[in-house]
């Protein structure tokens, strides 16, 4: 069996807690877990059968399901209609020979092995008895009380090198072990605590996936029609996949005779030949994502559906191509109905407005309508839906990502690019998304990165001069414009873009009563003290996050810089206490040692969750607004831009104002911006999108933090 063992979840009911095993598994599979092992030593056989039935429903074929030890329960669950793919057996459990006999040649059978003697015993079995080995434990772990001495990565490497079978590393495996274990020869990571006890198993699973695939190239298959003019169909898909860093493959559903002005003819090869293409790819190659485009007719749809059901790639992006940009129908009405069944096998569906109306079975008259139709469709087919606003009238080209299961509803807006060269935008977008999702990007980040890339490609389309109708986009604009293999934006452009992106937040800060009163000298003592006390609480924790940035820094310059900044924050915190806790100010220690306000807690939670994720680039993006917004505000206050009185020597808080207009602080901010912008410019598009999200979230928290001293919370 050509199973993808890369991310293997082993359940532990106690660690799943109130969320329960079923919900934990559902979310972990959403995030890219490829194989689930039900392991519950305390459950009775009858309970195990019930759990297998429930898990099989939650997994819904998206990952493999095996059970630890309980061969009879596996058989009984199969009799009740559950899809149980196999068993994992320990050295002391039922014989693997018996398991193979009972479950059949297609079943997945795993065996625990943690010594050379175990490996020799496996070698002595008839070939085809065992599919993979679980080798561990890697580190000491509490989830297996009777575990043997930990192997560590080197012990694992030694055992794996002697094994002819794929080996999954198990026992105390955390996200930070990913690269070392992959490099040591692991076929996958078996994870218990890190996933079962995660806040959100989907996010953690994606983290594992990103790290596992880090540096490697995702293998992305397009199942679509051919457009000989090269702007749409598999031709566009292969270009998009390549432009977004994937290895592209293509299975043809249909050949069209079309150009930039329209479709002249369609030829659909026999469906047996489609099946032969699909099997040829999946029999040999692990597929990280599938993009589905034009499907021609109901037979083709059913063949693709059956193949998907058997292979279950981790990411399926379905672009329900029904009508070409030229207006030509690309699917017959019978097939439009069959298509709905395929949606339930998808991760993400990307209809344009007309397609969404057909799929949701209702009229769509405006953008709000479109979003609610997308929500309805998402709930019905249990997939995320990206509704595309490319065909809306007006100056905006919005898209909206909705996922009813996650109650997610996020809009992406941007000015419409003035061009008629939009042939194949839908194909290109969906393949870019498949590629980014295959790398484990969060769906929101994938959409944001794919849109940035698409917009750049749309802007460069006119210069291609292909055809006299709706011409194609330039998929490689980013690559070619900057010469050679350089696909990266300039650091300066990143900084400008990010700063512009928070313009509304900056204006919001300027307009706060607190800032206005600070600028014109009318700020009262109570809100100012409230602010300072919260700031002292904030700075202490902020220093810890800066220290984490120092810990993760790739160069000693950066390490020293963040460590200095951490030091500066602690000193700042102490100075705040020292300068205001004086009889002259009449402030008691009790007033100053206030409880954190909700805005403070929210900001710190955000910073800590980014720091806990352990990605240097995101941590420095998250700490940047605290430098940048303060320097900017300090400079403008000092220059009297927000009110003349801020310059007055008699300003009640003059000494405090001076600290933020300090040239040394300004220099630190300049360096922080440079480190973050350089890192973002060099990062892959997904990382860049995550960095930007962390930056924007911190900026929004800054606004809320400044609002708190005079906000409704405070006045309550
Ligand atoms: N002129 C434009 N400016 C900016 N973005 C655009 C423009 N036209 C389309 N887009 C974007 O292109 C993507 C495809 O949207 P569209 O609604 O055109 O899909 P589609 O009709 O499926 O495309 P296709 O005709 O290629 O099948 C969306 O992200 C949309 O926002
Ligand atoms: C082959 C093919 N697939 C999709 C589209 C949608 O643009 C097209 N025009 N041609
Ligand atoms: Mg389309």
């Amino acid at each position: 069996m050509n199973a993808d063992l890369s991310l293997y979840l082993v359940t532990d009911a106690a660690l799943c807690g109130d969320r329960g095993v079923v919900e934990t598994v559902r979310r972990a599979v959403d995030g890219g877990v490829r194989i689930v092992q039900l392991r519950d030593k305390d459950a009775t056989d009858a309970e195990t059968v019930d759990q297998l039935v429930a898990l099989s429903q939650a997994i819904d074929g998206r990952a493999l399901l095996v059970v630890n030890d309980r061969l009879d329960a596996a058989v009984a669950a199969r009799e009740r209609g559950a899809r149980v793919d196999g068993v994992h057996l320990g050295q002391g459990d039922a014989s693997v020979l018996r398991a193979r006999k009972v479950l059949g040649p297609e079943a997945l059978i795993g065996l625990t092995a943690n010594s050379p003697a175990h490996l020799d015993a496996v070698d002595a079995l008839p070939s085809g008895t065992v599919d993979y080995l679980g080798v561990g434990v890697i580190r000491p772990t509490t989830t297996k009380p009777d575990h043997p001495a930990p192997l560590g990565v080197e012990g694992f490497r030694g055992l794996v090198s002697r094994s002819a079978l794929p080996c999954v590393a198990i026992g105390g495996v955390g996200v930070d072990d990913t690269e070392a274990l992959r490099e040591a020869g692991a076929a996958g990571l078996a994870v218990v605590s890190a996933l079962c006890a995660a806040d959100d198993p989907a996010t953690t699973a994606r983290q594992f996936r990103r790290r596992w695939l880090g540096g490697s190239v995702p293998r992305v298959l397009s199942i679509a029609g051919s457009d000989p003019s090269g702007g749409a169909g598999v031709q566009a898909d292969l270009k998009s996949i390549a432009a977004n860093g994937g290895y592209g493959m293509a299975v043809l559903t249909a050949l069209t005779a079309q150009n930039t002005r329209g479709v002249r003819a369609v030829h659909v090869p026999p469906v047996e030949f489609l099946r032969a293409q699909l099997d040829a790819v999946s029999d040999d190659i692990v597929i990280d994502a599938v993009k589905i485009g034009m499907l021609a007719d109901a037979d083709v749809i059913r063949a693709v559906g059956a193949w998907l059901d058997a292979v279950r790639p981790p990411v399926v992006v379905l672009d329900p191509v029904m009508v070409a940009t030229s207006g030509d129908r690309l699917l017959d009405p019978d097939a439009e109905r069959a298509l709905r069944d395929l949606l339930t096998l998808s991760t993400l569906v990307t209809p344009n407005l007309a397609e969404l109306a057909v799929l949701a079975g209702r009229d769509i008259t405006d953008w709000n309508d479109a979003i609610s139709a997308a929500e309805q469709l998402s709930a019905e087919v249990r997939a995320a839906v990206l509704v595309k606003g490319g065909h809306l009238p007006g100056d905006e080209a919005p898209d909206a990502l909705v996922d009813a299961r996650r109650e997610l509803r996020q809009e992406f807006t941007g000015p419409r690019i003035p061009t008629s060269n939009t042939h194949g935008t839908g194909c290109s977008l969906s393949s870019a998304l498949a590629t980014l999702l295959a790398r484990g990007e969060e769906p929101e980040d994938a959409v944001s990165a794919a849109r940035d890339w698409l917009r750049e490609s749309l802007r460069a389309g006119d210069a291609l001069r292909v055809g006299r109708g709706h011409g194609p986009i330039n998929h490689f604009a980013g690559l070619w414009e900057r010469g050679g293999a350089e696909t990266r934006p300039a650091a300066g452009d990143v900084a400008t873009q990010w700063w512009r992106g928070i313009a509304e937040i900056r204006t919001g800060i300027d307009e706060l009563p607190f800032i206005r009163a600070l600028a014109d000298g009318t700020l009262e003592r109570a809100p100012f003290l409230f602010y300072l006390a919260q700031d002292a609480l904030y700075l202490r924790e902020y220093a810890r996050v800066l220290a984490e940035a120092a810990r993760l820094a790739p160069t000693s310059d950066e390490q020293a810089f963040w460590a200095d900044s951490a030091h500066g924050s602690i000193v700042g915190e102490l100075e705040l206490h020292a300068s205001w806790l004086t009889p002259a100010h009449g402030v008691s220690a009790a007033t100053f040692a206030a409880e954190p306000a909700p805005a403070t807690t929210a900001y710190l939670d955000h910073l800590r969750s980014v720091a806990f994720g352990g990605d240097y680039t995101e941590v420095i993006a998250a700490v940047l607004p605290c430098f940048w917004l303060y320097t900017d505000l300090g400079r403008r206050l000092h220059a009297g831009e927000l009110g003349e009185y801020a310059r007055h020597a008699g300003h009640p808080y003059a000494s405090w104002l001076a600290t933020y207009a300090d040239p040394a602080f300004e220099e630190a901010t300049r360096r922080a911006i440079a480190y973050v912008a350089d890192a973002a410019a060099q990062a892959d598009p997904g990382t860049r999108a995550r960095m930007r999200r962390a930056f924007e979230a911190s900026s929004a928290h800054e606004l809320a933090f400044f609002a708190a001293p005079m906000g409704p919370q405070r006045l309550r």
Side-chain angles (χ1 to χ4, degrees), residues 301-326:
I301 294 177
R302 281 189 281 271
V304 171
W307 177 84
L308 271 185
D309 206 22
V311 175
R312 291 319 295 243
V315 170
V316 178
V317 178
L318 190 147
D319 187 24
V321 177
M322 297 170 168
V323 192
T325 305
S326 53

Side-chain angles (χ1 to χ4, degrees), residues 319 321 323-325 350-353 355 386 388-391 397-399 414-419 422-427 429 451 454-455 458:
D319 187 24
V321 177
V323 192
T325 305
T350 61
N352 63 23
L353 295 170
E355 290 155 352
L386 181 75
K388 299 173 294 188
H391 299 283
D399 297 324
R416 178 172 300 279
I417 293 156
T419 176
T422 55
H423 179 61
T425 44
C427 303
L429 177 68
R451 274 179 54 96
L454 182 68
R455 295 174 64 81
L458 268 163

Side-chain angles (χ1 to χ4, degrees), residues 224-227 232-234 254 256 258 263 293-294 321 323-325 330 423-424 427:
S226 158
D227 166 11
V234 297
T256 70
Q258 71 173 302
V263 179
M294 173 181 177
V321 177
V323 192
T325 305
L330 292 167
H423 179 61
C427 303

Side-chain angles (χ1 to χ4, degrees), residues 314-510:
V315 170
V316 178
V317 178
L318 190 147
D319 187 24
V321 177
M322 297 170 168
V323 192
T325 305
S326 53
D328 295 293
R329 290 296 254 225
L330 292 167
L331 214 56
D332 65 43
D334 192 26
E336 285 180 359
R337 280 186 295 275
L339 189 61
R340 268 190 72 102
D341 294 339
L342 264 197
L343 305 191
T344 60
L345 294 168
S346 310
T347 321
L348 174 65
V349 188
T350 61
N352 63 23
L353 295 170
E355 290 155 352
L356 180 60
V358 174
L359 293 170
R362 62 195 246 193
D363 285 344
I364 293 173
T365 50
D366 60 21
W367 185 235
N368 284 335
D369 243 14
I371 293 175
S372 77
E375 271 166 354
Q376 174 205 321
L377 184 65
S378 170
E380 284 169 9
V381 303
R382 288 181 299 149
V385 174
L386 181 75
V387 49
K388 299 173 294 188
H391 299 283
L392 281 173
D395 296 339
E396 288 288 307
D399 297 324
L401 179 64
V402 303
D403 189 340
R405 291 163 309 168
R406 288 170 58 204
E407 290 178 14
L408 170 80
R409 171 196 199 147
Q410 188 168 332
E411 277 194 58
F412 301 82
T413 54
R416 178 172 300 279
I417 293 156
T419 176
S420 60
N421 294 323
T422 55
H423 179 61
T425 44
C427 303
S428 304
L429 177 68
S430 55
S431 337
L433 285 169
T435 310
L436 293 163
L437 290 171
R439 295 210 309 229
E441 299 299 348
E442 294 291 327
E444 300 88 310
D445 295 337
V447 171
S448 156
R451 274 179 54 96
D452 285 352
W453 165 79
L454 182 68
R455 295 174 64 81
E456 173 177 62
S457 309
L458 268 163
R459 271 188 222 103
D462 295 355
L464 285 179
R465 317 224 269 145
V466 174
R468 283 174 287 166
H470 290 293
I473 63 172
N474 182 357
H475 298 86
F476 297 108
L479 227 73
W480 296 346
E481 266 170 18
R482 289 171 200 100
E486 189 57 77
T487 60
R488 288 152 190 161
D493 292 346
V494 171
T496 315
Q497 247 182 37
W498 287 22
W499 188 243
R500 279 204 199 121
I502 58 164
E504 269 180 41
I505 292 176
R506 288 186 285 121
T507 316
I509 293 176
D510 284 358

Side-chain angles (χ1 to χ4, degrees), residues 195-250:
L195 282 169
C196 290
D199 279 348
D200 181 359
T203 307
T204 305
R206 287 196 190 96
Q207 238 166 35
F208 270 110
R209 246 190 115 58
R210 278 201 300 278
R211 300 272 295 257
W212 180 261
L213 294 169
S216 74
V217 177
R219 296 148 290 192
V220 184
L221 172 64
S222 159
I223 304 175
S226 158
D227 166 11
S229 74
V234 297
Q235 287 82 352
D237 295 339
L238 292 172
K239 294 173 196 179
S240 304
I241 294 165
N244 284 281
Y247 173 76
M249 302 173 274

Side-chain angles (χ1 to χ4, degrees), residues 59-271:
I59 295 172
D60 195 21
R62 297 172 298 155
L64 299 173
L65 173 61
V66 302
V67 61
N68 184 50
D69 194 6
R70 311 293 185 85
L71 181 56
D72 299 337
V75 174
R78 279 183 171 185
E79 278 162 8
R80 279 180 48 194
R83 174 168 162 180
V84 181
D85 298 283
V87 288
H88 183 90
L89 301 175
Q91 286 288 329
D93 301 333
S95 141
V96 284
L97 286 165
R98 180 165 163 257
R100 176 60 71 200
K101 199 157 153 244
V102 172
L103 294 176
E106 295 292 321
L108 184 72
I109 294 180
L111 184 65
T112 298
N114 32 41
S115 68
H118 289 161
L119 293 184
D120 292 342
V122 174
D123 283 345
L125 290 167
S127 83
T129 308
V130 175
D131 294 296
Y132 73 91
L133 300 177
V135 177
V137 301
I138 307 302
R139 301 185 184 291
T141 164
T142 52
T143 58
K144 189 172 167 68
D146 54 344
H147 70 69
L151 295 168
V153 173
E154 288 317 306
F156 177 81
R157 188 197 306 277
L159 282 182
V160 170
S161 66
R162 304 167 45 126
S163 167
L165 290 173
C167 295
V168 174
I170 183 160
V173 174
V175 178
D176 287 333
D177 299 316
T178 305
E179 290 82 3
L181 287 169
R182 188 191 55 203
E183 191 266 327
L189 306 178
V191 182
V192 193
S193 327
L195 282 169
C196 290
D199 279 348
D200 181 359
T203 307
T204 305
R206 287 196 190 96
Q207 238 166 35
F208 270 110
R209 246 190 115 58
R210 278 201 300 278
R211 300 272 295 257
W212 180 261
L213 294 169
S216 74
V217 177
R219 296 148 290 192
V220 184
L221 172 64
S222 159
I223 304 175
S226 158
D227 166 11
S229 74
V234 297
Q235 287 82 352
D237 295 339
L238 292 172
K239 294 173 196 179
S240 304
I241 294 165
N244 284 281
Y247 173 76
M249 302 173 274
V251 160
L252 289 182
T253 54
L255 289 81
T256 70
Q258 71 173 302
N259 54 30
T260 63
R261 289 189 280 178
V263 179
R264 298 181 178 184
V266 175
H267 170 68
V268 184
V271 73

